[in-house]
């Protein structure tokens, strides 16, 4: 079974935000060592532009060196639409680029899903065939409207769609709203960062039922395993075995889809 991580970061400068490893750089070579140790075949790099402005170029360089190992969900500036529209023309011709990803967690971005700042992005991404991933938990109703208005636009909910910085039952308090989005065929969910929502140690049993509900809603073709490894409270191997050994309802062909096949298909990453 090939294992593809749906979210990793590399960076060369800056101070990482949140709970990420507080190191000034985390290189593709360091990432590859950890991937080899855990048995991870490939990964989707999400450039952390918020702390390393050059992270997009760094990710593309990694994908150019290792096209079978890395794809990229990159970024263009959201508040300069005229310039950014031009950048997105032929975006897939850039090394590794398979789509876009925006956390939208900075204080100055909190109103962007509602105030029109992002209105230009959705039709352009739809026309260019670029999936867009985002931390949608804070604007799930608006996220649903975006998906409905742009049915050919593939959207990805980051980090299970759960309440950021909460743990245990509190993290899953919005799960009904998240699972409701599964009715929209152009919406998928990254089950990334799952151990970070647990109040327990491995195998994180307090999140199993919630993961099961999310999987039942989205199914194996729209439910993607991944880690966001640089902020996980456990090893990469434990992030893997949580899904491959500890969830009895996930097995066989469905497990293979969740662990890598589905995310490659969703973003159009045709690995050499």
């Amino acid at each position: 079974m090939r294992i593809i991580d749906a979210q990793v970061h590399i960076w060369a400068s800056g101070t990482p935000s949140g709970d990420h490893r507080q190191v000034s750089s985390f290189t593709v070579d360091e990432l590859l060592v950890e991937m080899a140790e855990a048995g991870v075949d490939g990964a989707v790099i999400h450039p952390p532009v918020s702390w390393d402005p050059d992270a997009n170029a760094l990710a593309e360089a990694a994908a150019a060196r290792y096209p079978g190992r890395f794809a990229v969900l990159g970024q263009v500036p959201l508040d300069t639409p005229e310039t950014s529209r031009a950048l997105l023309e032929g975006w897939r011709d850039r090394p590794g680029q398979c789509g876009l990803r925006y956390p939208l967690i900075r204080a100055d971005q909190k109103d962007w899903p509602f105030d029109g700042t992002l209105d230009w992005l959705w039709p352009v991404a739809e026309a260019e065939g670029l999936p867009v991933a985002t931390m949608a938990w804070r604007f799930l109703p608006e996220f649903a409207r975006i998906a409905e208005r742009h049915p050919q636009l593939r959207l990805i909910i980051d980090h299970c769609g759960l309440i950021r910085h909460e743990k245990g039952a509190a993290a899953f308090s919005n799960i009904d709203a998240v699972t409701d989005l599964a009715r929209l065929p152009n919406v998928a969910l990254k089950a990334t960062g799952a151990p970070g929502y647990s109040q327990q140690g491995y195998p994180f049993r307090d999140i199993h039922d919630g993961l099961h509900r999310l999987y039942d809603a989205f199914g194996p073709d729209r439910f993607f395993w991944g880690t966001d490894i640089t902020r996980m409270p456990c090893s990469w191997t434990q992030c893997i075995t949580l899904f491959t050994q500890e969830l009895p309802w996930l097995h066989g062909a469905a497990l293979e889809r969740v662990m890598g096949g589905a995310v490659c298909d969703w973003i159009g990453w045709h690995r050499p």
Side-chain angles (χ1 to χ4, degrees), residues 10 47 49 52-64 72 74-75 94-95 97:
I10 55 173
V49 175
D52 181 355
D54 296 323
N56 205 70
L58 191 70
E60 289 184 358
V72 183
Q75 291 193 22
R94 300 170 70 101
Q97 291 287 5

Side-chain angles (χ1 to χ4, degrees), residues 74-224:
Q75 291 193 22
V76 297
L78 291 170
D79 52 357
T80 56
E82 293 306 319
T83 303
S84 294
R85 279 193 188 95
L87 288 173
L88 290 181
E89 293 179 5
W91 187 248
R92 284 186 176 273
D93 295 332
R94 300 170 70 101
Q97 291 287 5
C98 290
L100 302 164
R101 193 260 179 163
Y102 294 99
L104 299 177
I105 57 174
R106 294 196 327 245
D108 63 306
Q109 296 173 331
K110 69 177 183 177
D111 294 326
W112 285 10
F114 314 102
D115 66 7
T117 301
L118 305 183
D119 288 356
W120 71 271
L121 173 66
W122 315 118
V124 173
E126 186 176 30
E128 293 288 330
L130 300 174
V132 180
T134 186
M135 295 278 285
W137 68 272
R138 197 167 45 79
F139 60 102
L140 291 173
E142 180 60 26
F143 189 83
R145 286 189 284 271
I146 293 163
E148 290 167 342
R149 288 195 297 265
H150 302 281
Q152 302 307 311
L153 172 61
R154 290 195 167 195
L155 293 165
I156 305 170
I157 302 168
D158 283 346
H159 299 331
C160 302
L162 303 180
I163 304 297
R164 182 174 169 82
H165 299 315
E166 294 289 355
K167 295 183 182 295
F172 287 85
S173 61
N174 68 337
I175 194 169
D176 289 340
V178 179
T179 56
D180 178 65
L181 288 172
R183 65 187 167 80
L184 300 165
N186 58 328
V187 174
L189 181 134
K190 282 191 303 180
T192 44
Y197 291 116
S198 178
Q199 293 179 310
Q200 302 176 4
Y202 184 85
F204 315 115
R205 297 193 187 282
D206 58 334
I207 63 172
H208 288 199
D209 288 345
L211 289 174
H212 198 175
R213 283 194 60 190
L214 293 169
Y215 171 80
D216 280 350
F218 286 90
D221 293 326
R222 294 189 290 147
F223 181 84
F224 314 141

